[in-house]
């Protein structure tokens, strides 16, 4: 009798355990978890994906120097780019030694020495680079902002050299200790031998493809977050917010302190929180970490993004810092214009506090349909186009890259490939 009772009790315990497991895995209606953010509000909407800060920190391109003045360029998410960068991330760099940038003739280094050049756009502080690379930084190096890393091997040298370029354009830091071999570098460089050749454009620090590039348009069906979702997500107590309808069709939600404006037929939002904070110099690393955390809590991410930093306009205190997260589709960035605002999130931070936040509310699939193909100019034709852009604008082209321009067709988003030329005043010109 006792054995039968024990068996019945054990069976009951197993059954209860299975039911609990089922409820945990499949969550019956009404049993979903409630998330409380650090701002003290309750967030119940599951919106975009969550990202870690290191997911947004990577080079905007990888220039492969093959010696004999042969070069090519890999862009993010391409197979060779991912392979080479993953290997570099797994290596250690230490014993940094500062020296002036004039200590080497970098045009000759690029022309004659096999190597890998990683471009980080406007630059990243070393503490942020340490989130994605293994750098043993000393007191001098850890205060630098790095916009390029160049690893190369010279003729007859027994080990490669690695240089980290400061974004001030004057200083470089050589890692005297690194666990890369000459064979490692040569193996990475060999990946570029069958790729599209690029030619350096002298006096511009640009590399242009020696022949046209063919890229396909991407076509994506869209959905959108609603204004109610963003209101619940951004305000501590949505019940006390007022809704104002403007004559231009936009909506404004406000709780007398913060404001949320929905524009472009519900496709774009701008959020402001003019909280008074001390005018203390912004810490870039803290700002980027805060920006990623803020987006995780307020809308999430829809796709692949890359962090870009811009100093604030307040020259007296330099208390604010702008962080832009540029969206990528495949290997190329999306370059949103005034016509269609899409492809980026902008945040303004003051002492780690977000005071301004704007983004698209469109939701799109990670991979869309392939549209018509476009032939982007290369070689002499592209160089002539660069010269023409400079003549029209009266400014020098300081950067050039392929990108997608978004265009709306009803509820369909078209990503059209083309060239983006960055001018010396920071403005851009696009052509295809």
């Amino acid at each position: 009798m006792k054995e039968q009772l024990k068996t019945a009790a054990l069976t009951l315990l197993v059954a209860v355990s299975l039911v609990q497991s089922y409820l945990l895995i499949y969550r019956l209606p009404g049993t979903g978890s409630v998330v409380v953010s650090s701002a003290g509000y309750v967030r119940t909407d599951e919106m975009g994906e969550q990202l870690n800060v290191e997911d947004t920190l990577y080079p905007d391109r990888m220039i492969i120097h093959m010696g004999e003045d042969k070069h090519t360029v890999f862009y993010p998410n391409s197979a060779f780019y991912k392979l080479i960068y993953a290997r570099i991330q797994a290596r250690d760099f230490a014993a940094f030694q500062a020296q002036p940038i004039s200590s080497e003739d970098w045009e000759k280094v690029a022309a004659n020495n096999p190597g890998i050049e990683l471009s980080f756009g406007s630059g990243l502080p070393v503490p942020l680079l340490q989130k994605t690379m293994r750098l043993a930084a000393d007191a001098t190096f850890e205060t630098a902002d790095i916009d390029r890393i160049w690893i190369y091997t010279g003729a007859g040298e027994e080990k490669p050299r690695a240089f980290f370029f400061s974004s001030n354009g004057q200083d470089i830091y050589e890692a005297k200790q690194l666990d890369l071999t000459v064979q490692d570098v040569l193996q990475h460089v060999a990946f570029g031998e069958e790729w599209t050749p690029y030619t350096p454009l002298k006096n511009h620090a640009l590399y242009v493809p020696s022949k046209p590039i063919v890229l396909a348009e991407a076509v994506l069906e869209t959905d959108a977050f609603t204004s109610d979702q963003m209101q619940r997500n951004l305000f501590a107590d949505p019940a006390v917010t007022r809704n104002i309808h403007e004559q231009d069709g936009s909506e404004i939600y406000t709780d007398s302190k913060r404001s949320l404006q929905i524009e472009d037929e519900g496709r774009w939002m701008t959020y402001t929180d003019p909280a008074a904070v001390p005018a203390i110099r912004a810490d870039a690393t803290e700002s980027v970490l805060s920006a990623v955390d803020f987006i995780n809590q307020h809308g999430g991410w829809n796709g692949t993004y890359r962090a870009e930093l811009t100093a604030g306009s307040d020259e007296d205190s330099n208390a604010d810092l702008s962080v832009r997260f540029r969206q990528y589709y495949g290997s190329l960035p999306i370059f949103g214009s005034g016509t269609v605002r899409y492809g980026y999130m902008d945040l303004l931070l003051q002492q780690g506090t977000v005071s301004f936040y704007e983004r698209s509310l469109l939701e799109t699939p990670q991979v869309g349909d392939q549209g018509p193909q476009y032939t982007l100019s290369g070689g002499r034709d592209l160089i002539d186009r660069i010269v023409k852009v400079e003549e029209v604008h009266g400014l020098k082209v300081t950067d050039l890259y392929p990108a997608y321009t978004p265009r709306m067709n009803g509820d369909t988003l078209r990503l059209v490939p083309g060239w983006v030329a960055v001018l010396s005043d920071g403005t851009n010109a696009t052509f295809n």
Side-chain angles (χ1 to χ4, degrees):
M1 184 65 179
K2 290 184 179 180
E3 292 299 323
Q4 290 177 338
L5 289 174
K6 288 181 180 179
T7 301
L10 182 59
T11 302
L12 179 61
L13 288 173
V14 171
V16 171
S17 178
L18 289 173
V19 171
Q20 289 176 331
S21 298
Y22 177 87
L23 291 175
L24 287 172
I25 295 172
Y26 295 103
R27 287 184 183 175
L28 294 175
T31 63
S33 61
V34 174
V35 182
V36 180
S37 80
S38 57
Y41 67 92
V42 177
R43 177 167 66 89
T44 58
D45 286 8
E46 291 296 332
M47 299 175 69
E49 297 178 355
Q50 309 288 292
L51 290 184
N52 296 316
V53 66
E54 53 266 30
D55 297 325
T56 70
L57 306 174
Y58 50 89
D60 60 9
R61 77 202 72 179
M62 182 181 294
I63 305 169
I64 305 298
H65 305 289
M66 293 171 279
E68 300 179 357
D69 210 14
K70 296 179 180 178
H71 318 267
T72 193
V73 178
F74 296 146
Y75 291 101
N77 297 316
S78 61
F80 289 145
Y81 172 105
K82 291 192 291 186
L83 176 61
I84 294 172
Y85 190 49
R87 289 181 176 180
I88 291 175
Q89 287 178 294
R91 302 296 186 173
D92 293 307
F93 299 85
F96 290 91
Q97 185 177 91
Q99 52 191 277
I101 195 170
S102 57
S103 60
E104 297 279 350
D105 185 334
W106 295 104
E107 283 193 6
K108 287 185 177 180
V109 171
N112 301 325
N113 299 277
I116 305 144
E117 185 180 348
L118 308 179
S119 166
F120 287 90
S122 59
L124 291 175
V126 168
L128 277 182
L129 272 181
Q130 288 178 306
K131 300 286 185 182
T132 186
M133 296 182 66
R134 293 163 58 171
L135 311 178
D138 56 24
T140 302
F141 179 58
E142 69 181 2
T143 60
D145 290 342
I146 301 301
D147 63 7
R148 275 190 297 164
I149 299 174
W150 199 328
I151 304 168
Y152 74 89
T153 179
E157 293 185 353
E158 296 182 355
K159 64 177 185 177
R161 305 181 72 182
F163 291 89
F164 292 69
F165 289 69
S166 172
S167 57
N168 65 17
Q170 300 176 0
D171 304 315
I172 57 175
Y173 302 84
E174 182 175 7
K176 290 295 186 178
Q177 296 177 13
L178 64 158
D179 59 350
L180 276 166
T181 67
V182 169
Q183 191 58 40
D184 290 331
V185 176
L186 294 178
Q187 185 183 60
H188 297 161
V189 167
F191 293 137
E193 292 178 355
E194 302 300 323
W195 214 247
T196 302
Y198 277 65
T199 303
L201 188 57
K202 303 302 181 183
N203 302 319
H204 282 73
L206 303 178
Y207 287 85
V208 298
S210 60
K211 59 183 181 181
I213 297 175
V214 178
L215 294 171
E217 176 182 307
V219 182
L220 301 93
E221 297 300 321
T222 66
D223 197 354
F225 297 137
T226 67
S227 55
D228 286 342
Q229 281 180 299
M230 296 312 303
Q231 179 200 14
R232 290 195 300 269
N233 202 275
L234 286 163
F235 291 94
D237 185 2
V240 301
T241 61
R242 293 182 294 115
N243 180 220
I244 304 170
H245 291 269
E246 299 288 340
Q247 291 184 349
D248 60 4
S250 64
E251 286 186 274
I252 297 177
Y253 294 87
T254 179
D255 62 358
S256 299
K257 176 186 175 186
R258 308 172 186 85
S259 70
L260 168 67
Q261 185 168 7
I262 308 294
E263 306 171 77
D264 293 349
E265 299 177 344
R267 295 173 179 157
W268 189 262
M269 59 145 280
T270 303
Y271 171 78
T272 56
D273 182 2
V277 295
I280 300 175
R281 182 178 176 86
D283 179 84
T285 301
E286 178 188 350
S287 294
V288 174
L289 293 172
S290 296
V292 170
D293 186 52
F294 188 88
I295 294 175
N296 280 338
Q297 297 174 6
H298 300 83
W301 310 77
N302 177 32
T304 303
Y305 288 80
R306 180 180 170 275
E308 301 172 357
L309 306 185
T310 305
S313 58
D314 187 348
E315 295 181 359
D316 294 330
S317 66
N318 198 23
D320 55 6
L321 185 136
S322 175
V323 182
R324 167 165 288 189
F325 294 98
R326 173 74 66 186
Q327 188 172 0
Y328 275 69
Y329 181 83
S331 293
L332 303 184
I334 300 172
F335 186 79
S337 64
T339 305
V340 178
R341 290 186 289 183
Y342 178 82
Y344 64 92
M345 304 185 198
D346 277 352
L347 297 93
L348 187 66
L349 295 102
Q350 297 176 318
Q351 199 183 349
T353 300
V354 174
S355 61
F356 177 85
Y357 173 43
E358 64 173 349
R359 62 176 291 168
S360 172
L361 297 179
L362 289 179
E363 293 184 273
T364 56
Q366 296 286 343
V367 180
D369 296 328
Q370 182 172 305
Q373 292 188 330
Y374 289 74
T375 299
L376 276 59
S377 55
R380 186 70 253 173
D381 182 42
L382 179 55
I383 294 173
D384 291 342
R385 296 292 297 272
I386 293 171
V387 172
K388 185 176 180 179
V389 168
E390 293 181 327
E391 291 175 349
V392 169
H393 295 273
L395 297 167
K396 185 177 181 179
V397 173
T398 59
D399 196 7
L400 180 77
Y401 57 89
Y404 289 109
T405 298
R407 297 177 184 174
M408 290 299 300
N409 183 9
D411 290 331
T412 300
L413 179 69
R414 297 169 50 217
L415 300 179
V416 180
W419 286 110
V420 175
V422 182
L423 302 173
S424 55
D425 66 348
T427 58
N428 303 280
T430 60
F431 58 89
N432 57 23

